[in-house]
Amino acid sequence: MAGPRSAIASAPPGTPRLFASALARIRLSHVWATTAVVIPVLLITRTPLATVDLTYHLRAGDIMLDTHAILRTDVFTATAYGRPWLNQQWLAEIVMTTAFRLGGWFGLVALRALLMALVLTFVFLACRAAGAATKRAAWLTLASGFLLTGAFKLRPQLLGMVCFAATAWLVARRRTHPQGVWIVVPITILWANLHGSFFLAPLMLGLAWVEDRWVHGRGSGRLLLAGLASLLATMVNPYGYRVWSYAAGLATNPVIRRTITEWQPPTIRSYTGAVFFLSVVVVAAVLIARVRRPVPWGSLLSLGVFLAIALAALRGVWWWTMVAPIVLAGVVPNQPAVTERRDPAGPLNAAIVGLLAAGVIAAMMRWMPYTGPAMPDGDKLWFAPAGITRELDRIVRPGEVLFNAQGWGSWLEFELPQNPVVVDSRIEVLPQSVWWKYYDVSAGVEGWQATLDAWHVDVAVLAPDQQSDLISRMKADSGWELVYEDTDGLIFRRVSTPLPAAGSSVGAIPRSSR
């Protein structure tokens, strides 16, 4: 039977022959690496896009691209209009909006897949640099990918995760490529303009320096200088040192800590919390099994720091999920080196890689019809109620204020740019007093009518799972009229504001206004 070399010899000259040669050179190690990256990407690509954060970023990016200036004040809400906004994530908004302008919703899905692939690729490379063989690095990366499913939403945090994973790789390879740690400095500059997790760059360099200096006794001055340079690099942004107060303010904001699940400590009642605690048990068991070869305390220090970050808030779990596999890759010995040399090439490897690539392409195909700004049909978007959106587009007039379910605020800002909402996803921008009043109104607490009057609300867009008490009170109040209801929610309008006749174009927001 003809082998790979005879197949290559029989291939026609030129591009087909080169392609056949490339396929024949795909080795088992390539299959392992591809599988570790592609399978999580394939699974997440089939899930909807969550608009709860995404679409207000698109709106902000649109404004900045049109005005060529960073958006520094709130222009979205009726309750904080004109209030200063430290828009630390401005660069991430530009990136996402550019993808949307180039490819619509398909462009956003493609961007999400690319960012996920980069995160997992860097985790894999970091595991390899830490000492894991290809197969073990692939399994560790695959485990990380499954634990990260809740983090793979298209928002600035995903860009921050790319920066984190790239930094972790550069730190993991510092002993073989010591000059590479300087690359962390420009990464930090980007990071400080993308997401509030930028402080993790100097933290990782600092932990690496402590490990090298106090565990191995050969601390690198280069590593220490790179850490200090990274710390200074966080100031290279439009707001300077104030990005640090922004990051600290988010972590300590009482409204965020009390009402946003991601900012609360993990529990076993959620998928992310359950798998996090399971991963802690697994990591502990692996480390205890190494009783005859004690784990360097420098590695335990890194695990401990990121474990503390994860225990403080659910969103901190993502950083633990990327660090733990890399630490395990460095402390768990490999099988005998001969197994690493068994890396056969062959057509089966090419077939597996091709099958994985075909799966990703097939998952992307469902988004191909949506290369423009029009709202996708079906269940392709989360927190984007289709029927309510269509009805609001028909009945609201420019400038009318919307009292909204908080989870829909970002979407309404995007779809109805001429209508300010009461609240959105930027918890830190609105005064705390507004939030407490908002929750009182949503709960139908006595005085809700006066608060809506003070905010000059014309239309209420309510979700039954968040505002059931307010819904019952509005239905019984003669000052409000139910004008629309479906399984997602309800729309009420003040009775003093007449509705346009059926089929009328009054109040319709032209799509070109975006």
Side-chain angles (χ1 to χ4, degrees), residues 36-37 40-41 116-125 141 144-145 148 152:
V37 173
V41 173
M116 286 190 291
L118 287 174
V119 169
L120 295 171
T121 297
F122 283 127
V123 170
F124 173 81
L125 293 174
T141 303
S144 178
L148 284 169
F152 286 146

Side-chain angles (χ1 to χ4, degrees), residues 283-363:
V283 170
V286 171
L287 297 180
I288 292 172
R290 281 178 44 89
V291 65
R292 295 184 179 180
R293 296 183 59 185
V295 179
W297 70 262
S299 299
L300 294 177
L301 176 63
S302 294
L303 279 177
V305 168
F306 284 95
L307 177 61
I309 292 173
L311 290 173
L314 191 64
R315 62 189 296 131
V317 169
W318 316 134
W319 317 115
W320 156 270
T321 301
M322 289 182 278
V323 167
I326 299 170
V327 173
L328 291 182
V331 301
V332 178
N334 290 306
Q335 297 297 323
V338 66
T339 59
E340 183 71 11
R341 293 197 295 267
R342 295 178 56 190
D343 193 14
L348 180 59
N349 296 334
I352 295 174
V353 171
L355 189 63
L356 291 171
V360 173
I361 293 172

Side-chain angles (χ1 to χ4, degrees), residues 375-387:
M375 182 180 181
D377 58 11
D379 59 349
K380 295 179 178 62
L381 299 178
W382 280 331
F383 301 99

Side-chain angles (χ1 to χ4, degrees), residues 82-359:
R83 186 180 176 88
W85 175 22
L86 199 155
N87 189 15
Q88 185 266 332
Q89 302 170 11
W90 70 273
L91 185 56
E93 293 163 355
I94 295 293
V95 171
M96 292 186 292
T97 303
T98 300
F100 186 70
R101 287 190 173 190
L102 291 175
W105 299 103
F106 174 82
L108 295 177
V109 172
L111 176 63
R112 180 179 63 175
L114 173 62
L115 296 176
M116 286 190 291
L118 287 174
V119 169
L120 295 171
T121 297
F122 283 127
V123 170
F124 173 81
L125 293 174
C127 289
R128 293 284 288 127
T134 301
K135 184 176 180 180
R136 174 168 291 164
W139 278 112
L140 289 169
T141 303
L142 196 59
S144 178
F146 283 127
L147 294 176
L148 284 169
T149 53
F152 286 146
K153 299 181 179 71
L154 186 55
R155 53 183 180 174
Q157 185 181 21
L158 187 51
L159 288 134
M161 290 170 61
V162 173
C163 295
F164 181 91
T167 299
W169 170 57
L170 292 167
V171 169
R173 68 201 286 266
R174 65 187 182 277
R175 297 189 182 97
T176 57
H177 299 81
Q179 296 289 347
V181 296
W182 289 110
I183 303 175
V184 176
V185 177
I187 289 176
T188 305
I189 294 175
L190 285 175
W191 201 345
N193 293 276
L194 290 169
H195 188 252
S197 56
F198 60 85
F199 68 92
L200 295 173
L203 175 62
M204 283 190 285
L205 289 171
L207 289 171
W209 180 79
V210 169
E211 181 178 0
D212 288 358
R213 175 67 179 85
W214 300 105
V215 178
H216 301 289
R218 54 176 187 273
S220 168
R222 178 186 298 107
L223 191 60
L224 180 59
L225 288 175
L228 293 174
S230 175
L231 188 63
L232 293 174
T234 64
M235 313 293 184
V236 184
N237 65 83
Y239 307 97
Y241 71 89
R242 287 192 296 151
V243 296
W244 282 87
S245 60
Y246 164 81
L250 286 178
T252 57
N253 186 299
V255 179
I256 292 176
R257 300 294 296 186
R258 286 177 56 180
T259 63
I260 306 301
T261 304
E262 278 191 340
W263 286 95
Q264 296 170 359
T267 71
I268 60 174
R269 291 189 294 272
S270 68
Y271 167 80
T272 299
V275 296
F276 161 65
F277 286 113
L278 177 61
S279 74
V280 173
V281 171
V282 171
V283 170
V286 171
L287 297 180
I288 292 172
R290 281 178 44 89
V291 65
R292 295 184 179 180
R293 296 183 59 185
V295 179
W297 70 262
S299 299
L300 294 177
L301 176 63
S302 294
L303 279 177
V305 168
F306 284 95
L307 177 61
I309 292 173
L311 290 173
L314 191 64
R315 62 189 296 131
V317 169
W318 316 134
W319 317 115
W320 156 270
T321 301
M322 289 182 278
V323 167
I326 299 170
V327 173
L328 291 182
V331 301
V332 178
N334 290 306
Q335 297 297 323
V338 66
T339 59
E340 183 71 11
R341 293 197 295 267
R342 295 178 56 190
D343 193 14
L348 180 59
N349 296 334
I352 295 174
V353 171
L355 189 63
L356 291 171

Side-chain angles (χ1 to χ4, degrees), residues 437 441 445-457 477 480 494:
K437 289 180 180 179
V441 173
V445 173
E446 186 68 29
W448 62 269
Q449 302 99 324
T451 301
L452 293 183
D453 291 343
W455 288 341
H456 306 289
V457 171
D477 192 289
W480 294 87
R494 287 187 183 274

Side-chain angles (χ1 to χ4, degrees), residues 347-494:
L348 180 59
N349 296 334
I352 295 174
V353 171
L355 189 63
L356 291 171
V360 173
I361 293 172
M364 294 289 293
M365 288 297 293
R366 68 193 292 257
W367 291 94
M368 282 298 293
Y370 309 107
T371 55
M375 182 180 181
D377 58 11
D379 59 349
K380 295 179 178 62
L381 299 178
W382 280 331
F383 301 99
I388 285 176
T389 301
R390 286 191 295 268
E391 185 65 14
L392 288 172
D393 193 50
R394 186 184 74 84
I395 68 171
V396 297
R397 302 176 180 85
E400 289 187 319
V401 177
L402 309 179
F403 180 87
N404 56 290
Q406 187 267 333
W408 295 339
S410 178
W411 172 252
L412 297 176
E413 289 168 345
F414 177 76
E415 277 292 306
L416 304 168
Q418 297 182 29
N419 295 95
V421 297
V422 167
V423 297
D424 60 13
S425 301
R426 298 165 306 138
I427 311 296
E428 76 282 4
V429 175
L430 277 66
Q432 293 182 29
S433 58
V434 169
W435 283 108
W436 303 136
K437 289 180 180 179
Y438 170 79
Y439 291 121
D440 282 347
V441 173
S442 294
V445 173
E446 186 68 29
W448 62 269
Q449 302 99 324
T451 301
L452 293 183
D453 291 343
W455 288 341
H456 306 289
V457 171
D458 303 289
V459 176
V461 189
L462 309 180
D465 60 338
Q466 300 175 44
Q467 297 154 317
S468 58
D469 292 331
L470 178 60
I471 288 172
S472 62
R473 283 163 174 73
M474 274 200 170
K475 286 183 175 179
D477 192 289
S478 59
W480 294 87
E481 179 183 3
L482 177 64
V483 296
Y484 180 83
E485 182 176 4
D486 62 16
T487 55
D488 290 318
L490 307 88
I491 302 174
F492 291 87
R493 177 184 278 279
R494 287 187 183 274

